[in-house]
Amino acid sequence: MVKIEPFALEIWMDKFEKDCKYNIAETCCASISLDKLQELSEDKTTTILPSSKILNYGAIRGSESLRGNLSRLYSAKTGNPLPAENILITPGAIAANHLFLYSFVGPGDHVICHYPTYQQLYSIPESLGAEVDLWKAKSEKNWIPDIEELKSLIKPNTKLIIINNPNNPTGAVLPKTLLQNLIDVASTRSPPITILSDEVYRPVFHSISPMDAEFPPSILSMGYRNAVSTGSMSKAYSLAGIRTGWIASRNPDIIETCAQARDYTTISVSQLDEQVAAFALSPSTIHALLSRNIQLAKTNLSILAKFVDRHDDICSWVSPKAGTTAFVRFHREGNAIDSAEFCKRLLDKTGVLFAPGKESFGDDFEGYVRIGYVCETEVLKGGLDKTKVWLRKEFDDIPLAA
Amino acid sequence: MDGDVGFNKLYYWLHSADPDTTTVIGGSATPGLSLNELVELSKSPESTQAAFQFNDIKFNLGSAQGNPKLRETIAATYTHELSHLSPAEVIVTNGTTGANHIVHQSFLKPGDHIICQYPIYGPCIEEPEHIGCDISYIHLDPENNWHLDLKQLEALMRPGKTKLIMLNNPVNPTGTHFSTEVQEDLIKLCKKNDVVLHCDEIFHPLFHTSDVPNSFIERHDLDYEKVVVTSSLSKSYGLSGVRIGWIATRSAHLRKAFMSYRVMSCSSVSLIDEAIATEALSPRCRSGILDKHLALARKNISLIQAFVDKHKDSCDWVPPTAGAVGFVRFKDPHTGAAVDDVEFCKQLFESRNVLLAPATLCFEFGELKDAFRGRVRMHFTTTTGNLQKGLQLLDEFLEETEREATNANGHAKL
């Protein structure tokens, strides 16, 4: 049996999210319906889900229109278009990450993974028999990891460096210069090291302008062939339930290897889900959809920021620049509280769900909770109000981290 | 991944030609259905129509094990007086492929001994091979209607070492199935040796004779938990574009391992697809869909049988009893020797644009070379029109080949 570490965050979410009253742990921009999607779109006439569509396998690697739309997005603002053939559709980004890692990583490989991040990104390489080292970001450095530390982790058998940009849980953005430095390090090794960037939170850039000199392009737009980007419709596009994600790379050999392995994991993806995704990413819909979500992120972030400010005696954070997650540390006189106890008691007394930092992201994160703040504004407001009241009454009784 | 593997060969072979100009009769899926067609096949079209209203669903992530209503519906298809399966014993997956992947990846490790039915659908061998398992093969007997010999199977068992037996029933590519008696013996043998019985039942319940056995999971009475079946909507239900499959097992221990792997690799599945699957498998729709496909299969089997009868010197087959495909063997009409099936299929494609799946390329793995010489996989759940066209062209091809052979012989004699 492949030894799989329990996926603590997913286990937590699955256990509690159905019954909680205020889900401020999950990380999608507030989900939408097809009616809402069509409302946002300029295209009012296309039937998003044609009931006459024959539901056979369809185009195995993904529908032409979906891959075409993604190609357009990856090609924007670069001199170098990314062909649709370099994009493979998967059932979600989780499946995209899994498929790439499954087809690429094996025993004897050394993998370096950005941290903290979505546990899958380091647990799967471990379970595939690779040696994994964590490239740790720290709050004192605004959650931007240090390139010199990365260099010190490189070994002769380093095959893959994994980053998550924008980052879950911190909301940090790895800036352009850092990405360039990373590519310089990876490309000058022999053989060159491949970079996987989980870009599932692109393009929820709510607190950094595209005009900013350090605004990060996709890893595929920086002139490095041995780079892979994964993404999905779940976070920026509010369509998690359609389970549509992708792997993209400028290196066709990587795509081909993934495509062959894909015959063993999924073969093809849902025909109707692809219709929805293609529609959402089409020029007539995407701008309004993204605009809705970035505005929602901005509005909600300022509500969350006020909450954090008002409680600055017991919590601290590095304000997120992008994505939908915030990593907030709760403490008593500087000492971290027990994050699992905090979350459990909060849920129990108020129905508000946060994700516990230590359990979900590692032992370094005692005292932290992850807040998914781009839910419906009313849900965030309601949840934070309840939390405020609860904190006044109960915070002092929460045990400190052991 | 090694590109030189059998499944990819089957896949690439079948997709190597332009679908607009090629008559493909080597595949295995029933014709795809649309939502409109599902409504038409339903016993209560209005309810089915209502079930396909997706406009106001919010696209949150679904449930980690699969929508409870869907699991209830799946479990119900395996439940009757003698069998009971609960929704908790079902895990929803991305097709049968996703289901098999989870079972293998979460349960098998390098060096594990498994016993695999042969022939079988390629990935059922290739995935364990890729994992590094030590595979023994239980050969179905081509001279005896592809019968599985329990004594031979028992001889392959390594007590305490064998981890899993891999089966595919109804059998792809032979179109045969295991009788109730063989099923019972298989389960009892696995129980005796504490071995997991994994049966890929993607073609269940397409049974074409009066022998309609239960699914392996329905043999509750044999009191063995470690039976695992995988299946989906792709072959029996005409909904391969609705990526819904499942794993069913009564072993809580195995389910825990499967869920651990699933949560890391796929999370929940499509909400729309779950809704469609729930309706398609419901009492309103299920029998209508199956009846349609069983009638199609019956008609098409008789067409192929007529073809085989007409060309009895050039081909033979074990008439299929189940599933969607049959194994037709082509031979030299004068000598009776099996043809080179790969060459045969290539020439057929080149001269007539008809695609069959040659067994030596698509179903032979490592063990036992030349086991299926002369055999091709022929598809009888394709549309009747498509099959008729294919058989017509095949007919012409055989007559032409025969003429050429006679002429050649004639010339040689001069």
Side-chain angles (χ1 to χ4, degrees):
Chain A
M1 184 175 326
V2 169
K3 186 180 179 300
I4 290 268
E5 283 302 307
F7 198 170
L9 174 62
E10 295 292 345
I11 293 168
W12 172 271
M13 292 303 294
D14 192 54
K15 193 168 169 196
F16 296 122
E17 69 183 335
K18 273 183 294 297
D19 303 319
C20 67
K21 292 204 197 72
Y22 302 91
N23 187 344
I24 327 184
E26 77 107 8
T27 61
C28 307
C29 291
S31 299
I32 54 173
S33 65
L34 293 183
D35 276 348
K36 179 76 187 166
L37 188 62
Q38 195 127 47
E39 212 183 294
L40 287 168
S41 178
E42 285 162 12
D43 178 351
K44 308 290 181 200
T45 55
T46 298
T47 306
I48 304 178
L49 287 183
S51 52
S52 58
K53 185 169 169 60
I54 299 288
L55 299 170
N56 55 20
Y57 286 109
I60 294 291
R61 293 190 179 194
S63 82
E64 212 179 291
S65 62
L66 176 55
R67 289 163 96 200
N69 282 338
L70 285 167
S71 161
R72 196 175 35 80
L73 291 174
Y74 275 107
S75 303
K77 298 188 193 117
T78 73
N80 197 0
L82 181 76
E85 296 79 68
N86 289 42
I87 301 169
L88 208 52
I89 309 297
T90 59
I94 188 172
N97 288 334
H98 169 257
L99 176 62
F100 170 68
L101 293 170
Y102 171 71
S103 71
F104 195 75
V105 175
D109 290 339
H110 178 240
V111 174
I112 299 171
C113 189
H114 178 192
Y115 173 91
T117 191
Y118 194 53
Q119 188 194 328
Q120 182 202 32
L121 293 172
Y122 45 89
S123 282
I124 290 190
E126 251 162 26
S127 75
L128 292 167
E131 199 196 323
V132 179
D133 276 315
L134 301 174
W135 183 26
K136 292 189 177 185
K138 301 184 183 76
S139 64
E140 306 85 77
K141 297 277 172 72
N142 291 334
W143 302 115
I144 309 293
D146 185 328
I147 195 73
E148 295 308 319
E149 277 179 32
L150 175 77
K151 286 178 187 167
S152 74
L153 293 172
I154 306 257
K155 293 184 170 152
N157 60 331
T158 302
K159 191 175 187 197
L160 178 69
I161 298 169
I162 305 174
I163 57 173
N164 174 217
N165 192 26
N167 178 258
N168 166 21
T170 66
V173 164
L174 303 195
K176 186 172 184 182
T177 304
L178 180 63
L179 294 181
Q180 192 55 63
N181 290 339
L182 176 61
I183 289 171
D184 291 342
V185 169
S187 60
T188 50
R189 288 298 183 281
S190 187
I193 300 172
T194 301
I195 300 171
L196 166 66
S197 182
D198 176 340
E199 297 184 336
V200 76
Y201 291 96
R202 280 188 85 90
V204 188
F205 291 105
H206 49 70
S207 304
I208 174 173
S209 158
M211 302 304 139
D212 189 313
E214 287 296 343
F215 181 86
S218 162
I219 198 74
L220 297 191
S221 302
M222 297 195 61
Y224 185 45
R225 198 164 176 268
N226 292 326
V228 180
S229 161
T230 54
S232 85
M233 301 301 293
S234 302
K235 312 294 180 186
Y237 304 101
S238 299
L239 292 168
I242 65 169
R243 309 313 290 126
T244 302
W246 54 86
I247 299 173
S249 176
R250 293 205 177 266
N251 185 336
D253 293 334
I254 290 179
I255 296 294
E256 213 38 53
T257 305
C258 291
Q260 292 196 13
R262 191 170 168 278
D263 291 336
Y264 296 83
T265 62
T266 181
I267 297 186
S268 64
V269 292
S270 164
Q271 290 300 287
L272 292 179
D273 287 341
E274 280 195 305
Q275 297 273 131
V276 178
F279 183 84
L281 294 181
S282 67
S284 54
T285 314
I286 190 177
H287 306 291
L289 178 54
L290 278 177
S291 177
R292 176 235 188 210
N293 286 338
I294 292 179
Q295 191 49 58
L296 183 61
K298 285 180 171 162
T299 302
N300 288 9
L301 182 61
S302 90
I303 296 171
L304 180 60
K306 283 203 187 78
F307 172 91
V308 172
D309 284 341
R310 287 213 181 103
H311 294 91
D312 63 7
D313 53 333
I314 57 169
C315 73
S316 64
W317 72 343
V318 175
S319 172
K321 299 275 171 301
T324 63
T325 63
F327 216 29
V328 180
R329 182 177 184 269
F330 282 88
H331 60 87
R332 223 158 29 242
E333 286 146 19
N335 299 311
I337 49 90
D338 180 322
S339 54
E341 261 317 291
F342 178 102
C343 292
K344 281 186 192 130
R345 291 185 191 194
L346 174 67
L347 177 64
D348 210 35
K349 287 285 164 67
T350 67
V352 175
L353 186 66
F354 290 159
K358 176 184 162 193
E359 285 63 30
S360 314
F361 296 98
D363 289 346
D364 299 86
F365 307 111
E366 198 59 272
Y368 281 89
V369 303
R370 184 189 75 178
I371 298 175
Y373 55 88
V374 196
C375 47
E376 307 279 3
T377 304
E378 291 317 304
V379 171
L380 182 68
K381 272 194 194 146
L384 291 178
D385 282 342
K386 286 270 181 327
T387 305
K388 190 171 68 184
V389 169
W390 174 81
L391 284 172
R392 245 184 276 139
K393 280 194 273 190
E394 312 267 357
F395 182 73
D396 287 334
D397 294 331
I398 299 174
L400 295 178
Chain B
M1 282 314 265
D2 181 357
D4 194 31
V5 285
F7 170 68
N8 287 336
K9 285 181 183 165
L10 169 64
Y11 170 80
Y12 287 115
W13 175 269
L14 289 174
H15 289 81
S16 56
D18 178 357
D20 292 329
T21 58
T22 314
T23 308
V24 182
I25 49 170
S28 64
T30 46
L33 294 169
S34 66
L35 296 182
N36 286 345
E37 285 170 293
L38 286 177
V39 170
E40 271 168 49
L41 288 167
S42 170
K43 287 182 187 154
S44 26
E46 270 172 27
S47 309
T48 300
Q49 185 78 71
F52 296 152
Q53 287 316 310
F54 304 119
N55 286 348
D56 46 18
I57 309 178
K58 281 217 179 145
F59 285 96
N60 297 314
L61 277 176
S63 141
Q65 192 171 334
N67 180 292
K69 190 92 202 10
L70 173 57
R71 286 187 283 118
E72 205 183 290
T73 307
I74 293 168
T77 67
Y78 294 111
T79 298
H80 47 75
E81 323 81 70
L82 298 172
S83 161
H84 179 259
L85 193 68
S86 83
E89 291 167 332
V90 176
I91 298 172
V92 177
T93 61
N94 285 310
T96 316
T97 299
N100 288 346
H101 180 71
I102 290 172
V103 172
H104 293 153
Q105 292 294 335
S106 64
F107 184 69
L108 298 174
K109 60 185 195 309
D112 278 351
H113 180 242
I114 73 165
I115 303 173
C116 206
Q117 164 196 312
Y118 193 74
I120 197 171
Y121 174 62
C124 296
I125 293 177
E126 290 166 291
E127 186 147 44
E129 218 170 48
H130 181 64
I131 290 171
C133 293
D134 176 9
I135 308 177
S136 297
Y137 295 92
I138 175 68
H139 300 114
L140 306 183
D141 187 352
E143 306 312 320
N144 188 11
N145 295 337
W146 302 105
H147 176 72
L148 187 154
D149 186 328
L150 263 302
K151 287 203 174 58
Q152 276 183 23
L153 176 57
E154 193 156 14
L156 292 170
M157 283 279 199
R158 297 177 199 169
K161 290 255 161 60
T162 305
K163 286 276 178 320
L164 182 123
I165 294 189
M166 178 79 243
L167 304 168
N168 172 214
N169 186 45
V171 180
N172 173 13
T174 66
T176 53
H177 71 277
F178 302 128
S179 67
T180 298
E181 200 189 320
V182 168
Q183 260 190 345
E184 279 175 10
D185 288 342
L186 282 165
I187 295 174
K188 285 176 187 159
L189 182 64
C190 286
K191 184 175 177 181
K192 180 170 144 197
N193 288 277
D194 195 28
V195 169
V196 169
L197 191 158
H198 173 195
C199 190
D200 174 337
E201 291 190 341
I202 195 176
F203 293 102
H204 183 94
L206 296 181
F207 294 103
H208 311 304
T209 68
S210 54
D211 182 23
V212 182
N214 290 307
S215 155
F216 273 90
I217 199 70
E218 288 169 345
R219 297 312 307 269
H220 202 179
D221 54 311
L222 294 173
D223 193 30
Y224 184 50
E225 264 194 353
K226 295 185 190 175
V227 172
V228 178
V229 310
T230 53
S231 192
S232 70
L233 299 178
S234 299
K235 307 293 178 180
S236 306
Y237 298 95
L239 293 169
S240 50
V242 175
R243 306 302 293 139
I244 297 291
W246 54 89
I247 305 169
T249 182
R250 292 195 178 81
S251 164
H253 175 74
L254 286 174
R255 284 200 306 274
K256 187 153 182 256
F258 300 157
M259 281 305 297
S260 268
Y261 189 86
R262 186 187 183 283
V263 84
M264 192 71 79
S265 61
C266 107
S267 166
S268 58
V269 299
S270 161
L271 294 183
I272 294 178
D273 286 351
E274 284 191 313
I276 297 173
T278 306
E279 188 58 23
L281 293 172
S282 73
R284 282 179 297 287
C285 295
R286 184 171 181 255
S287 53
I289 299 170
L290 289 174
D291 287 345
K292 175 181 202 264
H293 295 147
L294 289 169
L296 175 67
R298 250 193 320 273
K299 168 119 182 77
N300 288 350
I301 289 172
S302 71
L303 290 176
I304 302 177
Q305 187 64 62
F307 173 90
V308 170
D309 289 342
K310 180 179 177 193
H311 294 280
K312 57 186 181 322
D313 294 328
S314 304
C315 63
D316 58 47
W317 73 341
V318 171
T321 56
V325 294
F327 234 9
V328 178
R329 179 171 52 176
F330 285 92
K331 36 195 199 196
D332 183 308
H334 302 287
T335 66
V339 304
D340 175 340
D341 48 280
V342 181
E343 258 320 293
F344 179 89
C345 288
K346 279 189 181 149
Q347 282 170 18
L348 173 65
F349 175 64
E350 266 147 40
S351 70
R352 293 287 186 296
N353 274 325
V354 172
L355 259 195
L356 288 164
T360 306
L361 184 70
C362 304
F363 292 98
E364 220 174 68
F365 299 93
E367 274 261 321
L368 221 66
K369 293 294 181 195
D370 252 14
F372 312 122
R373 186 180 165 89
R375 298 194 196 267
V376 305
R377 190 181 79 170
M378 196 179 292
H379 184 193
F380 56 79
T381 59
T382 180
T383 62
T384 299
N386 188 44
L387 181 63
Q388 274 169 333
K389 184 171 178 209
L391 290 176
Q392 170 69 35
L393 293 166
L394 188 49
D395 192 86
E396 284 172 22
F397 176 74
L398 284 180
E399 310 246 299
E400 185 181 278
T401 314
E402 172 56 16
R403 257 196 320 273
E404 277 166 12
T406 308
N407 286 345
N409 281 338
H411 282 295
K413 277 182 183 150
L414 283 174

